[in-house]
Amino acid sequence: MTSVLLLENIHESASDEFSRAGIAVERAAAALAGPRLSDALAGHALIGIRSATHLGEGDIEQAPHLLAIGCFCIGTSQVDLAAAAARGIPVFNAPFSNTRSVAELVIAEAVLLLRRIPEKNALAHSGGWAKSASGSFETRGKTIAIVGYGNIGAQVGVLAEAMGMRVVFYDVQAKLALGSARAAPSLPDALSQADVVTLHVPATASTERMIDARALAQCKRGAILINASRGSVVDIDALRDALERKHLAGAAIDVFPKEPKHTSEAFASVLQGLPNVILTPHIGGSTEEAQLNIGVEVSSKLVAYVTRGDTSGAVNFPQVSPGQHCAAMRLVNVHHNVPGALANLNGLLAHDGLNIVAQHLQTRNEVGYVVTDIDKRPSDALMQALANDRAFVRTRLLPAT
Ligand code: NAI
């Protein structure tokens, strides 16, 4: 029976999905590393991790039975994706499951910061009574600049527009503007017209410190900055300076250049103690709904791969969506992407007296992936030949259910 090891307290929704597919589930609350990880991997066809378990080339090499890896989160940098692909192991994640959670938090923070609620709240807790309208604004009619108009950025735009905000966005790629959102021609152009600037770009070389002293100077005086993307995107010292000089009226920061690795570790930031600044511990996407959705999304992808050879959504692998079996048997083959590999496979199938009913091929970098529906079960000799041939990385047989 196929089995999955779910580490790091993955949501129960994942277990339910695997159980429905007849896949045995073993769960553990902690992340694993070293020999304990190797031992755990040896006995399972699938592993589900979050961000604290690292799967390097050595771990993957020591897991000959591992079919696929599920990252029950957004990021996949904790897995050596190239090493996994080279061994015929697709890696899946959940790119959209917490999009809404981040977008809602951003909108809430925009409202709170424009009203200067963090400092009024702090004062009220310590016996103060800052009953004044001065410096407090509605979101309605204000301009929000969304930097990075991808999954989260576009959601923020939809919600902001529903609040009556004017939406401009800046993205390096041409994007379909939702609702009445407008693309800004450049980052300075977007920053210069915004009452609220919110960042939704990935951590890349091009986004590293893209909000530095110069970019902050391009923001309107009294603007609000929200960063729930990655800590590397903002020059945090320059931000502190802009807040202290009151060039910016407030900020909400969820991600930091240096974040504690565990909840027991102390958190330190140069932004601590500043008024009208919301600091949150990288929880933009952390809601019960997002965890449930992530559990369902990643487990469904793993089940589709195990049962149908479907690699849709794999982050390191050719994408093939072959649908249901259209013959008695399905042969799932990973091979080196070299000339003649498919002809070689089809020749071996023909030699074994098998008729190909349907075939789906995709390649990506060095990896070729082909799903072939055939009219009957291949001989053991053919399966052995495929296993022995160094042109092929791995081959699985999936009977029609
Ligand atoms: P996405 O990939 O859908 O969108 C990113 C967008 O940024 C793309 O449209 C891309 O073209 C654009 N972009 C890339 N480089 C750019 C640049 N130099 N200038 C302007 N635009 C640029 O990503 P998604 O899902 O919307 O996530 C956005 C960010 O949010 C990521 O950094 C992700 O890690 C982070 N995130 C944070 C969470 C949290 O808990 N705070 C939770 C989920 C995601």
Side-chain angles (χ1 to χ4, degrees):
M1 186 185 195
T2 307
S3 68
V4 59
L5 173 65
L6 297 179
L7 300 177
E8 303 183 59
N9 263 336
I10 287 166
H11 197 278
E12 283 290 348
S13 59
S15 307
D16 299 343
E17 202 70 24
F18 287 122
S19 301
R20 267 196 293 279
I23 295 172
V25 180
E26 190 180 320
R27 299 178 59 89
L32 292 181
R36 288 184 60 212
L37 179 60
S38 311
D39 288 352
L41 278 173
H44 298 279
L46 303 171
I47 183 164
I49 60 171
R50 291 168 69 184
S51 55
T53 302
H54 290 255
L55 290 171
E57 185 168 12
D59 304 305
I60 292 166
E61 254 172 14
Q62 286 171 39
H65 305 301
L66 193 63
L67 280 183
I69 297 169
C71 296
F72 286 73
C73 49
I74 315 296
T76 52
S77 57
Q78 68 279 40
V79 178
D80 187 332
L81 298 177
R87 281 156 192 80
I89 299 173
V91 179
F92 299 94
N93 68 337
F96 320 118
S97 289
N98 62 7
T99 298
R100 173 72 186 207
S101 304
V102 181
E104 283 192 13
L105 182 67
V106 167
I107 296 298
E109 290 175 334
V111 173
L112 293 174
L113 291 170
L114 284 170
R115 297 291 295 272
R116 303 196 70 84
I117 297 300
E119 66 188 45
K120 289 178 198 296
N121 171 61
L123 262 170
H125 274 283
S126 58
W129 192 247
K131 184 170 164 49
S132 161
S134 175
S136 291
F137 301 96
E138 295 181 350
T139 52
R140 183 170 49 170
K142 301 298 178 297
T143 298
I144 185 167
I146 300 170
V147 181
Y149 196 65
N151 296 323
I152 298 172
Q155 272 283 316
V156 169
V158 169
L159 297 182
E161 198 163 298
M163 303 281 290
M165 298 186 84
R166 186 175 153 264
V167 178
V168 296
F169 65 86
Y170 170 67
D171 200 293
V172 281
Q173 288 180 9
K175 292 282 171 170
L176 171 70
L178 300 181
S180 305
R182 286 184 314 105
S186 65
L187 180 61
D189 182 87
L191 298 179
S192 65
Q193 50 182 312
D195 302 290
V196 177
V197 174
T198 183
L199 309 176
H200 301 290
V201 289
T204 63
S206 80
T207 63
E208 181 150 4
R209 293 184 178 221
M210 75 188 295
I211 303 299
D212 56 8
R214 194 158 151 231
L216 290 165
Q218 288 158 350
C219 293
K220 267 168 54 173
R221 187 167 179 83
I224 299 284
L225 178 74
I226 302 177
N227 185 18
S229 60
R230 281 292 179 264
S232 56
V233 177
V234 176
D235 178 337
I236 209 93
D237 293 310
L239 173 60
R240 181 184 170 97
D241 184 53
L243 288 161
E244 280 180 336
R245 286 187 294 105
K246 302 208 181 326
H247 180 66
L248 291 191
I253 305 296
D254 187 46
V255 286
F256 300 85
K258 198 162 174 289
E259 297 179 2
K261 294 211 166 31
H262 308 284
T263 45
S264 54
E265 222 176 281
F267 166 64
S269 168
V270 294
L271 302 178
Q272 282 165 334
L274 291 178
N276 213 33
V277 172
I278 299 173
L279 303 181
T280 47
H282 202 147
I283 42 73
S286 305
T287 60
E288 296 283 349
E289 289 89 344
Q291 289 309 313
L292 185 147
N293 293 340
I294 288 169
V296 173
E297 183 177 345
V298 182
S299 56
S300 309
K301 289 175 180 173
L302 289 170
V303 167
Y305 179 63
V306 169
T307 57
R308 299 198 303 276
D310 192 324
T311 52
S312 310
V315 295
N316 65 337
F317 221 68
Q319 310 253 332
V320 169
S321 182
Q324 296 298 337
H325 292 52
C326 43
M329 282 287 160
R330 175 166 285 182
L331 192 90
V332 173
N333 170 269
V334 186
H335 53 265
H336 299 295
N337 183 19
V338 292
L342 186 62
N344 183 11
L345 174 68
N346 287 349
L348 290 167
L349 295 180
H351 191 255
D352 205 39
L354 299 165
N355 190 33
I356 295 176
V357 179
Q359 192 161 49
H360 307 261
L361 167 79
Q362 279 296 332
T363 62
R364 178 176 158 157
N365 303 328
E366 287 83 37
V367 180
Y369 181 63
V370 59
V371 176
T372 308
D373 285 346
I374 43 182
D375 59 343
K376 55 181 190 279
R377 176 177 279 278
S379 66
D380 291 346
L382 173 64
M383 293 308 289
Q384 199 53 54
L386 292 173
N388 293 343
D389 191 328
R390 295 180 64 164
F392 302 121
V393 179
R394 62 169 70 195
T395 305
R396 278 192 304 143
L397 206 50
L398 307 177
T401 46

